[in-house]
Each structure stands twice: as structure tokens, then as C-alpha cells.
């Protein structure tokens, strides 16, 4: 039977890397959603109404029921608050904000306005994450090691905001690992120590190490590094009594005791937009600040070391 749910008109704000690479193609695949308008200071999109900023978009399109924010975390609170207060549903890129409390404030604004707030964690939608969670749900975990190393010049060329306060630096990809970690582990983790390597001309780290502990006492370590050229590494190894469960490739591949269990294509953003449509239809919100809280705690507890200046070119 054909889907009878009404079409949700969508406005997208911030036509940058992730909007073009992931959001636009994924929105096009979800029949409940129709991209009606974009807000961008610098770019336009053929066949879609264009506005300079979110205020102009909201004013021009009372029929746009939902907004997706693909802008940097700094400044996203004002955009989200404005859209929620105007009675629109909002989907936030990760990290959901530049601080933990601003996201909690948005939750209240959304609740008061009776609209959906969806704080996305795209890496949780990687193909193997739910199976890893299922396998680990009753496991006795003895330790976890995260290795997340990539080349910032390849993935974030020219992104000034990422080096500024609130931009997170290497925690911008590192928070993806933490979003998976906090999904697959059956217990909460907390930070015990952190080390932040900050280029002398930047406000955010280019590398970081975190020591965490599960409620059981099992150790969890994470190494994040943006200086890796050549092969890129996005691995989480969970050692449990009786099995070693490894997620490779950012959660797309699952290996248990050396045997491949899942390898699948990336459908992370398609799943996010399907969930956004479902949350709107059911009148629910989905906001989990735990990965952002862990990053905030790493900044609270972290020892800072100044390292060589970073230059994009
Ligand atoms: P980006 O390439 O820098 O694009 C961000 C866009 O936001 C810009 O093109 C700009 O669009 C708009 N913008 C509004 N205010 C801005 C400001 N003060 N400074 C810079 N841009 C501003 O960044 P991105 O990589 O798409 O990342 C955006 C968000 O998505 C971040 O939270 C990031 O963590 C997340 N994300 C990125 C990736 C990735 O691989 N790049 C993956 C997953 C998630 P207009 O010129 O159109 O106004």
C-alpha cells in the first residue's frame, strides 16, 4: 500500500561539505520529505528556493515544517532556537551544539513548542553498530581501545571554524567514535584523564588521548589524531570474556574473534532522514548529549600540550 503520510516540506541551512555530500542525496531518497528551500550565504541550489539566512527562510516559507542544520556547531543554537520557536521541527548535525547546556536548552524549547528535535549521530547509523550492541549487551567487557586517526587536510580543507573555540578540533571526528562507544556499551563510561595536543596557532586540538572507565571499572582508551596520512584508521576494539568484538571503518565492518560478520555500504544519512520523518510523524524527539558530554569532560580534565603550528596548505 502506498505511504499515506503527508509530505514534510524541508528547509536546509548551510550548503557546505556534508550538506552536498550526504544530506542532499539522502533527502532525495526519502519519499516523506521534500526539499523546499535552502539558506546559504554563499551558494544556491538549482530548482530550490534560496535565502541568505534562516530568518529569511522561515519568514518566506510558513509551509516549511522542518529544518535541517548543516552549519558549524558555533552559532547553531540561535538558528535552532529560532526555528523551534517558529514551530518547526529541527534536525541537528553532530555535534548537536557548541556546549552541552545549549543543547539541553534546545530540548526545553522544542518541548514547549510541541515540535521534534533530533540530535543526530550519523556514526551510530553505520551498518555494524546495532549488531555490535546486541552482541555486547550481555558480555563481560574487560577493556576497550579506540583508534581514530585521519588526515585533516583531506577531510576538512579550509574549515576555519573547526580550529576555533567550539569547533572541537580532532574531537569533531573523535566524537563519532564516542557516539558509537556510548551506543554499544551496556554501561556508562566516564573520563578519568585526557591529553590535548593543540597547535600553537589554534584553539582546538589536532590530537588527543582519553582514558575512560566503565561503571564496572573496565578501562576504555581513545587515541584521536588528525595527522595521519596514507591509510585512515577508524577502529573500536572491545575485549570481552570469551570474544573480541572489533568495529572497523567507522562502524561499517564488524569482526568477531577474527571472523568477518558484517561489511556493508554506507547508508548513515538515509537512515537519519528516515528517522527524522518517523520522529515527526510520532511527535517525538531524540536528543542524547552523552558523546558531547564526554568531549566536554576531556576539555575539563585535559592536560594541554602546545605542538607545532597547523597550516592548511
Ligand atoms: P563546512 O564544509 O564548513 O560547511 C558548513 C557550512 O555552514 C558552510 O558552507 C556555510 O554555508 C555554513 N556556515 C554558516 N555559518 C558559518 C560560519 N560561521 N563558518 C563557516 N560556515 C558557516 O562544514 P561541514 O564539513 O559541512 O560540517 C558542518 C557540520 O557537519 C559540522 O557540525 C560537522 O561536524 C558535521 N559533519 C561534517 C562531516 C564532514 O565529513 N565534513 C561529516 C559529518 C558531520 P553557506 O556558505 O552555505 O552559508
Amino acid at each position: 500500500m502506498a505511504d499515506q503520510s503527508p509530505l514534510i516540506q524541508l528547509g536546509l541551512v548551510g550548503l557546505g561539505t556534508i550538506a552536498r555530500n550526504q544530506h542532499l542525496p539522502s533527502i532525495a531518497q526519502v519519499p516523506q520529505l521534500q526539499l523546499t528551500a535552502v539558506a546559504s550565504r554563499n551558494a544556491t541550489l538549482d530548482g530550490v528556493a534560496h535565502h541568505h539566512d534562516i530568518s529569511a527562510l522561515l519568514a518566506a516559507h510558513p509551509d516549511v515544517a522542518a529544518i535541517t542544520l548543516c552549519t558549524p556547531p558555533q552559532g547553531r543554537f540561535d538558528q535552532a532556537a529560532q526555528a523551534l520557536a517558529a514551530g518547526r521541527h529541527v534536525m541537528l548535525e553532530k555535534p548537536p551544539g557548541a556546549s552541552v547546556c545549549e543543547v539541553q536548552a534546545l530540548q526545553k524549547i522544542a518541548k514547549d513548542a510541541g515540535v521534534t528535535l533530533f540530535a543526530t549521530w550519523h556514526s551510530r547509523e553505520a551498518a555494524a553498530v546495532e549488531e555490535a550492541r546486541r552482541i555486547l549487551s550481555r558480555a563481560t567487557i574487560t577493556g576497550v581501545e579506540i583508534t581514530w586517526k585521519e588526515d585533516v587536510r583531506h577531510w576538512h580543507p579550509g574549515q576555519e571554524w573547526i580550529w576555533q573555540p567550539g569547533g572541537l578540533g580532532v574531537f569533531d571526528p573523535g566524537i563519532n567514535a564516542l557516539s558509537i562507544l556510548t551506543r554499544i556499551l551496556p554501561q556508562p563510561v566516564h573520563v578519568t584523564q585526557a591529553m590535548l595536543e593543540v597547535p600553537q596557532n589554534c584553539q582546538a586540538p589536532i590530537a588527543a588521548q582519553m582514558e575512560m572507565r566503565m561503571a564496572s571499572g573496565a578501562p576504555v582508551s581513545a587515541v584521536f589524531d588528525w595527522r595521519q596520512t596514507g591509510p585512515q584508521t577508524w577502529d573500536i576494539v572491545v575485549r570481552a570474556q570469551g570474544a573480541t568484538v572489533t568495529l572497523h571503518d567507522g562502524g561499517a565492518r564488524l569482526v568477531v574473534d577474527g571472523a568477518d560478520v558484517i561489511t556493508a555500504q554506507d547508508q548513515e544519512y538515509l537512515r537519519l532522514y528516515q528517522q527524522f520523518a518517523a520522529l515527526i510523524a510520532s511527535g517525538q524527539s531524540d536528543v542524547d548529549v552523552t558523546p558531547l558530554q564526554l568531549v566536554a569532560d576531556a576539555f575539563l580534565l585535559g592536560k594541554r600540550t602546545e605542538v607545532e603550528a597547523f597550516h592548511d596548505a
Side-chain angles (χ1 to χ4, degrees), residues 256-267:
V256 179
D257 290 334
D260 265 301
V261 176
I262 294 176
T263 306
Q265 291 291 318
D266 172 12
Q267 293 202 310

Side-chain angles (χ1 to χ4, degrees), residues 10-12 15 24 34-39 43-51 57 61 64:
L10 188 71
L12 181 148
L15 263 179
L24 296 178
Q34 181 180 59
L35 184 63
T36 299
V38 295
T44 57
L45 198 60
D46 278 352
V48 179
H50 171 262
H51 303 277
L57 189 158
H61 297 276
V64 163

